[in-house]
Amino acid sequence: QVQLAESGGGLEQAGGSLRLSCAASGLTFSNYNMGWFRQAPGKEREFVAAIHWSGGSTRYLDSTRGRFTISRDNAKNTVYLQMNSLKPEDTAVYYCAAARQRWGELVVVSNGYATWGQGTQVTVSS
């Protein structure tokens, strides 16, 4: 059974940093693209960042580019999201997700991902 478990969320002041982690099990992690999405209250889930199964390419939501960095450690079956210069509008539940197919191209839509974690809350105060 494929499982994803996020950690690292919390309360941070604007301008601060947080690092999210997502530990994967039950799949050959190095074969799958991984993504981070977020959902704020009353809003739809939106794409934040994605990383190729090789780690060789990444994609970002425009509003997070330059502030957030996605990375992965295939030896640890873990994907990370380093979030710097946090803003109140970054407040949301953050989810990691594993792509629907192995060795695919990066996608930025949620239906390209088949397995989701339970989410971790990130709250940024002004």
Side-chain angles (χ1 to χ4, degrees), residues 13-74:
Q13 292 184 337
S17 298
L18 284 172
R19 188 194 196 202
L20 306 184
S21 299
C22 172
S25 60
L27 78 167
T28 306
F29 180 75
S30 60
N31 291 171
Y32 289 86
N33 299 337
M34 298 295 295
W36 285 97
F37 289 75
R38 67 187 181 187
Q39 188 166 18
K43 296 187 177 181
E44 293 186 354
R45 187 173 298 187
E46 67 174 352
F47 167 80
V48 175
I51 186 165
H52 194 259
W53 53 268
S54 69
S57 62
T58 56
R59 298 278 299 274
Y60 292 94
L61 176 68
D62 284 348
S63 63
T64 67
R65 189 175 293 113
R67 299 188 299 122
F68 290 9
T69 303
I70 188 171
S71 62
R72 66 190 298 157
D73 185 338
N74 286 344

Side-chain angles (χ1 to χ4, degrees), residues 59-104:
R59 298 278 299 274
Y60 292 94
L61 176 68
D62 284 348
S63 63
T64 67
R65 189 175 293 113
R67 299 188 299 122
F68 290 9
T69 303
I70 188 171
S71 62
R72 66 190 298 157
D73 185 338
N74 286 344
K76 295 183 178 180
N77 287 0
T78 301
V79 60
Y80 305 97
L81 185 67
Q82 177 67 44
M83 305 186 294
N84 299 329
S85 302
L86 283 164
K87 303 177 180 180
E89 50 264 43
D90 294 320
T91 295
V93 177
Y94 283 70
Y95 300 90
C96 72
R100 190 170 300 278
Q101 295 180 333
R102 293 182 297 175
W103 304 312

